[in-house]
Every structure is written in structure tokens, then in C-alpha cells.
Amino acid sequence: MAESAIRENLKLVLERLEIACKKRSLDLQDVKPRLVAVSKIKPVESIIEAYNEGQRHFGENYVQELEEKAANKEILERCPDIRWHFIGHLQTNKISKVLAVRNLFMIETVDSQKLATNLNKNWPKFGALGSKLNIMVQVNTSGEDEKNGLPPSEVNSLVNYILTECPNLRFEGLMTIGMFGYDLSKGPNPDFLTLRKCKEDLCTELGLNKSEVQLSMGMSNDFEHAIELGSTNVRVGTTIFGERTKKH
């Protein structure tokens, strides 16, 4: 995609984000959501163009692609403050590859005690001394078999385990991938409502400060609606970079 197109698309997304924020409840209007530009299957040049326009957070779904992009000479030289989010399913045998990524900011897809345990064990080998790895817990709010994430009923248990048994991890919040193509004429997206309730129940049971627990929900087709319902982290790809070719 041409530089001008990415510039205009990014500008439009940020404008739409601001408008959506103004439609939120009063207690959320001062919380600006983080925009994660999903750059999977997109060339290095597109990432650099978005970075040059001020975008800093980028999301990748595939371990190998994240490795390659994060180590790319051009990105290292021209995007020193880039912040990578891993937003795909992470297998335990690929943990070291992701943790070795330079400028890794967050893993949004922790969905089991086993994965949390292994991330906690391995992070000190890669992170700065005394640092913690930012993570989110992925919840399968729609109950669809093809989606990863743990069921809402298991959220509190896993988060409690992370907080008490994983000193090298920093729990940042909850993430979900809502049902694609939901018809908003039917009312608020039930997946987003479910994640919001998970947060409320979690904070009540574990005594957490609600303002410190993020919600990562909303993508290109529904990020404005997600923001209105309380999302603090939206993952937008196609609307910024254009349609993707299918990965083989």
C-alpha cells in the first residue's frame, strides 16, 4: 500500500478512536485506548511508514514472522521505539523465540497455567534484570471451538495463579477475539459484554483496581463499538494496511 494511503488510513482510525472515546461512560472518557496496528503478512515498508506517522505498537500473530520483522535491519535502524505485541496462539515450544524478540512489549494470549509457568520461568533469561513481562489473559468469550482462550469461568483462577506464583509476569488485563461479523442491530456485542463482566468479577474477587486492568477487544470491523464498551486496547490491521493476501 502506498505511503499516502497508510498515512490517511491511520489518521482516520485515530479520529474514529477519539470519537468513540467521547461516547463512553464518564469514568472512561479520560482513558485513551492503545492502538495496536496489526501488521501480520504486511511488508517491512508498511510498518516503517506507519511508524513514521507516529504509530508505535504493532501486533503479530505468527512467531516466525515476528522474529524476522523484529530482527530486520531496517526496522531496527528506523524504528528504535517500536513495541511488539504477540497476539497469536503461543505454543510452549516456541516461548524462547518470542521472548528473544527485541522490543517485545506484551504477550496478549496467555490462556493456561502451563503457558504462564513457562513464560515466568524463561523471562529472566531474556528480559532486563528485575523486569517483568507484560501479559494478558485470553478469554474465549464466544465459546467457539476454533478459537483459543480459556472459558470465562476459569479467568479468576488463572489470574490469581499469575499474581501469586509468577513474579516475573505483569498481569495487564484480559483479551478476547469477538465473534466475527456480529450484527450490532441486535444490541451490544455479547462477547465484549462478557469480557467486561469477567473484569468486574475478577476485580471484585481478587481486590484489584479496575482502572489497572485493561481490556483488549475490538478489531478493524468493530473497534469503535469495543471502545464504547470499555476497551483500552484495540487491534486494527486491515483498516490501516489494507486487505491481506492469504498466508500459505
Side-chain angles (χ1 to χ4, degrees), residues 183-229:
D183 183 359
L184 289 178
S185 68
K186 298 179 181 178
N189 189 318
D191 290 326
F192 298 163
L193 294 179
T194 295
L195 196 70
R196 192 168 68 176
K197 187 175 188 306
C198 283
K199 172 182 172 177
E200 293 172 356
D201 293 345
L202 175 68
C203 291
T204 298
E205 182 170 321
L206 301 187
L208 304 180
N209 187 332
K210 290 183 179 180
S211 66
E212 296 178 356
V213 178
Q214 299 181 38
L215 290 180
S216 178
M217 57 189 193
M219 298 187 288
S220 283
N221 62 314
D222 55 13
F223 73 90
E224 292 156 298
H225 178 59
I227 288 172
E228 290 178 36
L229 292 182

Side-chain angles (χ1 to χ4, degrees), residues 151-166:
S153 60
E154 298 178 16
V155 169
N156 293 4
S157 177
L158 178 57
V159 174
N160 185 60
Y161 176 81
I162 291 169
L163 294 174
T164 58
E165 303 296 333
C166 301

Side-chain angles (χ1 to χ4, degrees), residues 10-221:
L10 187 57
K11 179 182 177 182
L12 181 59
V13 167
L14 291 172
E15 289 175 353
R16 291 167 61 186
L17 186 149
E18 291 288 349
I19 292 171
C21 283
K22 293 177 181 178
K23 297 179 181 179
R24 303 209 287 187
S25 58
L26 291 176
D27 60 312
L28 288 172
Q29 287 192 3
D30 291 333
V31 181
K32 184 175 181 179
R34 177 194 298 121
L35 173 63
V36 179
V38 180
S39 47
K40 67 176 182 179
I41 321 180
K42 289 298 178 181
V44 166
E45 294 76 20
S46 294
I47 294 173
I48 294 174
E49 298 299 351
Y51 183 93
N52 288 341
E53 296 303 319
Q55 180 63 28
R56 291 295 178 266
H57 293 267
F58 292 81
E60 290 287 337
N61 289 64
Y62 307 111
V63 174
Q64 183 178 347
E65 190 174 359
L66 174 59
E67 279 187 292
E68 293 172 354
K69 288 177 176 175
N72 180 272
K73 184 179 179 180
E74 275 196 278
I75 288 181
L76 289 173
E77 290 179 353
R78 300 175 63 182
C79 310
D81 297 323
I82 197 168
R83 297 165 188 174
W84 295 109
H85 292 234
F86 185 72
I87 57 175
H89 178 59
L90 181 57
Q91 298 173 311
T92 53
N93 64 341
K94 293 185 178 180
I95 282 177
S96 294
K97 292 183 177 182
V98 172
L99 296 186
V101 165
R102 186 168 174 177
N103 291 324
L104 177 67
F105 181 79
M106 181 183 290
I107 295 176
E108 294 196 23
T109 50
V110 177
D111 60 0
S112 70
Q113 185 172 311
K114 178 182 178 182
L115 181 55
T117 299
N118 279 280
L119 288 171
N120 180 70
K121 176 182 176 182
N122 286 281
W123 178 243
K125 303 173 188 175
F126 300 93
L129 183 64
S131 69
K132 293 190 176 188
L133 172 66
N134 297 324
I135 63 102
M136 285 190 174
V137 166
Q138 183 176 0
V139 187
N140 186 344
T141 51
S142 63
E144 295 171 277
D145 292 337
E146 65 272 21
K147 288 183 179 173
N148 296 301
L150 74 170
S153 60
E154 298 178 16
V155 169
N156 293 4
S157 177
L158 178 57
V159 174
N160 185 60
Y161 176 81
I162 291 169
L163 294 174
T164 58
E165 303 296 333
C166 301
N168 298 315
L169 305 183
R170 178 181 289 107
F171 170 68
E172 290 287 334
L174 306 175
M175 175 268 215
T176 194
I177 300 173
M179 185 179 296
F180 185 77
Y182 175 75
D183 183 359
L184 289 178
S185 68
K186 298 179 181 178
N189 189 318
D191 290 326
F192 298 163
L193 294 179
T194 295
L195 196 70
R196 192 168 68 176
K197 187 175 188 306
C198 283
K199 172 182 172 177
E200 293 172 356
D201 293 345
L202 175 68
C203 291
T204 298
E205 182 170 321
L206 301 187
L208 304 180
N209 187 332
K210 290 183 179 180
S211 66
E212 296 178 356
V213 178
Q214 299 181 38
L215 290 180
S216 178
M217 57 189 193
M219 298 187 288
S220 283
N221 62 314

